Amino acid sequence: MFNYVVDDELVLKLLMPEHARQMFALVERSRLRLRQWLPWVDGVSEQAHITTFIKNAVKQGSDNGGFTAGLWVRGELAGIIGYHEIDWLSRSVGIGYWLGEGYEGYGYMTSACRVFVDYALLEMELNRIEIRCATGNKASRAIPERLGFVFEGVLRQSEKLPHGYVNHAVYGLLRSEWKLLG
């Protein structure tokens, strides 16, 4: 089971069904900010939606397709980070993440991403990691930039959000590049 103590404040723990109440409360508190960048937020109107998401994430993990973890800051759920479906043939994966209201700007997600990058490239021996974010989401884009990812381009109108389509900035990192940074 993935459980990683980053420091005195931050712990990453596999997301489990018993975390649904805390995750739903975090989405509720952060709804206005999250819906600006995440298409699924408006579809989450009750805790059962979160429970279904977590059960699917647990199944994905048991099928060796990646896993999803909660960021726990001083014992409170602060955000979510996870691997998208792992492509074992190409040895690549995408990472997705979000933070709840009030947890931005402290470096929590950068630290969590660093752990996920290390784990994917060094433990799972994958070769490539990709992060995609809306081009206008400066906070989200700053994370792969801080971690040495290479900006690879823009996917036009890649995602439909409540306010319309957004372009995605695509960042990639290869295992050989991460070793050089480490």
Side-chain angles (χ1 to χ4, degrees), residues 44-171:
V44 174
S45 58
E46 57 188 57
Q47 185 175 315
H49 297 134
I50 297 293
T51 301
T52 299
F53 166 80
I54 293 174
K55 286 179 179 178
N56 289 336
V58 170
K59 181 177 181 344
Q60 180 184 354
S62 67
D63 292 344
N64 203 21
F67 58 87
T68 302
L71 282 75
W72 298 84
V73 175
R74 295 179 299 280
E76 297 289 324
L77 183 63
I80 304 296
I81 185 169
Y83 296 118
H84 300 301
E85 188 70 29
I86 297 171
D87 179 341
W88 287 105
L89 184 61
S90 296
R91 307 208 63 77
S92 66
V93 71
I95 296 177
Y97 47 81
W98 60 269
L99 275 174
E101 191 82 37
Y103 294 102
E104 315 92 333
Y106 296 99
Y108 299 132
M109 193 55 75
T110 300
S111 295
C113 275
R114 186 176 287 112
V115 170
F116 264 58
V117 168
D118 272 345
Y119 194 83
L121 298 178
L122 305 177
E123 298 297 321
M124 293 192 292
E125 298 183 349
L126 299 180
N127 184 59
R128 175 184 162 75
I129 298 177
E130 187 174 282
I131 293 177
R132 296 181 182 190
C133 343
T135 54
N137 189 341
K138 291 182 171 115
S140 191
R141 290 184 68 177
I143 293 165
E145 291 169 0
R146 266 188 228 108
L147 294 175
F149 279 66
V150 174
F151 174 69
E152 296 180 336
V154 173
L155 299 174
R156 299 175 308 139
Q157 295 188 5
S158 180
E159 186 171 48
K160 188 172 188 310
L161 296 175
H163 53 76
Y165 287 95
V166 294
N167 298 337
H168 273 184
V170 179
Y171 294 89

Side-chain angles (χ1 to χ4, degrees), residues 6-18:
V6 177
D7 57 33
D8 291 343
E9 286 189 13
L10 179 61
V11 176
L12 305 177
K13 292 191 251 184
L14 271 186
L15 206 53
M16 301 303 287
E18 60 265 22

